Amino acid sequence: TFAIYLMKLVLEWLKDEVGGLAKMHALNQQKAKLLYDAIDGSGGFYRGHAQPACRSLMNVTFRLPSEELEKAFVKEGEDRSLDGLKGHRSVGGIRASIYNAMPLEGVESLAKFMAEFRKGH
């Protein structure tokens, strides 16, 4: 019964706070676009894992020119309260999970950090 109650709360949040499923999908597209634009506009500094037609709206994955820069990116991100950016242990790289509960402002902060990090390195 707890799972049913929890689902009720999530569905109420989706309806009342977000405005429904279509608005949530549009918001998720907007959030993903911010990060993919940062990757695609980096002149190759950031390199996405997935082909553009297969990109995820929930997990944006990419690499930097070196593992040392990836470690610095994760560390500097943590210093800015951008946590959980380290990629999967078998794949490496960076993974930004931007699921439904991630606010647009958090994704905007990450995109801004990505631009600043690229300029600084």
Side-chain angles (χ1 to χ4, degrees):
T1 58
F2 180 73
I4 294 169
Y5 174 70
L6 189 59
M7 178 174 267
K8 173 191 174 293
L9 294 177
V10 170
L11 292 173
E12 286 174 352
W13 170 80
L14 181 61
K15 180 182 171 196
D16 298 339
E17 299 295 320
V18 178
L21 191 57
K23 287 191 177 180
M24 176 55 73
H25 182 64
L27 177 60
N28 286 337
Q29 288 176 313
Q30 181 183 5
K31 293 186 303 186
K33 184 177 182 328
L34 278 171
L35 297 185
Y36 289 123
D37 284 351
I39 292 167
D40 295 341
S42 73
F45 185 80
Y46 300 114
R47 298 176 321 278
H49 287 161
Q51 296 295 321
C54 300
R55 289 175 166 174
S56 171
L57 293 180
M58 298 290 117
N59 287 298
V60 177
T61 58
F62 55 96
R63 301 297 306 243
L64 280 78
S66 69
E67 288 187 24
E68 292 77 24
L69 279 175
E70 289 172 357
K71 289 176 185 175
F73 183 89
V74 169
K75 171 69 173 96
E76 290 181 35
E78 288 172 352
D79 292 345
R80 293 179 179 217
S81 297
L82 299 168
D83 298 320
L85 293 171
K86 186 176 179 183
H88 190 275
R89 68 181 175 272
S90 66
V91 178
I94 306 296
R95 180 182 69 190
S97 294
I98 55 173
Y99 288 95
N100 294 337
M102 170 58 76
L104 177 61
E105 295 79 16
V107 178
E108 290 170 338
S109 293
L110 177 55
K112 180 180 176 187
F113 168 64
M114 289 172 71
E116 292 170 358
F117 186 88
R118 181 174 56 88
K119 287 178 186 171
H121 293 86

